[in-house]
């Protein structure tokens, strides 16, 4: 790599980071629906045509922010998973991953709202968001898979699954490449949805006047979700 090319790439990376940072500021102030490339360019002292060389449309900028947010919460979950490797208590491992997701969400509420809040009008997420969006779920699946391999997973009765649910779970198992029993994967999918329901209730103020000991409540409920999946 030549020195000139290296300098150009560093400059582009710096401008890209500045664009994203200003876009995140606008998300916090006005919400994703009002994100404007022209407004971002104006705040950065750029002409719109220059910003379009980095992000040709609002949707491409939104996608970059969404991927960054999914990757960040996914990295937090994966770090918690790695830190518990060797722990023989699967509920503790599960809870650690859940708590890491919560800690990230509390520290980045507007980015959380971007990926788990109301859909942005007129925006359709591309395939590029799918893998980043799966990272937290895959960390939770890893806990369950490890417990199953260690014979520490109580698998629910397969016969309890409705036919349509069984078909969906079989397709999900094929997509994920996991050999977890269908009933366990169904319970895991439900727990995953409930986890983000807990986070959304807390982040969006639904616990106001109802749950004040929120950290303790979250930890208790996350552990209960792990036990419902069959851990412990």
């Amino acid at each position: 790599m030549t020195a000139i090319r290296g300098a150009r790439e560093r400059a582009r990376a710096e401008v890209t980071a500045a664009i994203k940072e200003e876009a995140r500021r606008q998300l916090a102030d006005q919400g994703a629906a009002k994100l404007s490339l022209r407004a971002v360019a104006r705040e950065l002292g750029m002409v719109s045509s220059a910003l379009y060389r980095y992000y040709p449309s609002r949707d491409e900028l939104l996608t970059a922010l969404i991927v960054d947010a999914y990757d960040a919460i996914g990295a937090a979950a994966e770090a918690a998973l790695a830190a518990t490797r060797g722990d023989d208590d699967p509920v503790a491992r599960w809870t650690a991953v859940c708590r890491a997701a919560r800690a990230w969400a509390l520290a980045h509420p507007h980015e959380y709202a971007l990926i788990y809040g109301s859909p942005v009008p007129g925006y359709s997420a591309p395939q590029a968001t799918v893998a980043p969006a799966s990272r937290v779920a895959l960390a939770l699946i890893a806990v369950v898979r490890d417990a199953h391999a260690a014979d520490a997973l109580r698998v629910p009765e397969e016969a309890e699954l409705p036919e349509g649910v069984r078909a969906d779970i079989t397709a999900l198992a094929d997509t994920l490449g996991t050999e977890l029993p269908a009933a366990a994967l169904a319970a895991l999918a439900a727990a995953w949805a409930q986890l983000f329901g807990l986070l959304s209730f807390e982040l969006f103020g639904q616990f106001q006047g109802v749950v004040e000991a929120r950290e303790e409540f979250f930890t208790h409920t996350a552990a209960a979700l792990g036990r419902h999946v069959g851990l412990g």
Side-chain angles (χ1 to χ4, degrees), residues 6-24 37 40-56 61 64-65 68:
R8 286 175 177 169
E9 291 183 353
R10 287 193 299 272
R12 184 175 183 83
E14 289 173 2
V15 174
T16 299
I19 292 170
K20 288 181 179 180
E21 187 60 31
E22 174 57 27
R24 292 188 187 100
L37 288 183
V40 170
R42 182 172 60 250
E43 290 299 321
L44 293 176
M46 300 173 64
V47 295
S48 299
S49 58
L51 190 146
Y52 292 148
R53 291 199 292 269
Y54 293 84
Y55 295 103
L61 178 54
L65 297 177
D68 283 354

Side-chain angles (χ1 to χ4, degrees), residues 81-188:
L81 177 67
T84 62
R85 190 163 288 120
D87 190 331
D88 60 1
D89 182 351
V91 174
R93 298 189 73 205
W94 170 279
T95 304
V97 172
C98 294
R99 284 173 59 86
R102 176 179 181 268
W104 183 88
L106 290 176
H108 305 87
H110 303 294
E111 291 169 71
Y112 177 89
L114 176 63
I115 54 179
Y116 293 112
S118 299
V120 180
Y123 174 79
S124 179
Q127 187 68 23
T129 63
V130 173
S134 303
R135 291 176 67 173
V136 174
L138 290 175
L140 294 172
I141 288 171
V143 175
V144 177
R145 187 181 60 241
D146 290 348
H148 186 50
D151 199 25
L153 181 69
R154 301 184 312 278
V155 180
E157 290 291 333
E158 295 283 341
E160 295 178 0
L161 287 181
E163 182 178 346
V165 173
R166 184 182 299 278
D168 287 341
I169 293 301
T170 298
L172 178 61
D174 289 343
T175 298
L176 295 173
T178 179
E179 296 181 359
L180 284 173
L185 194 54
L188 200 157

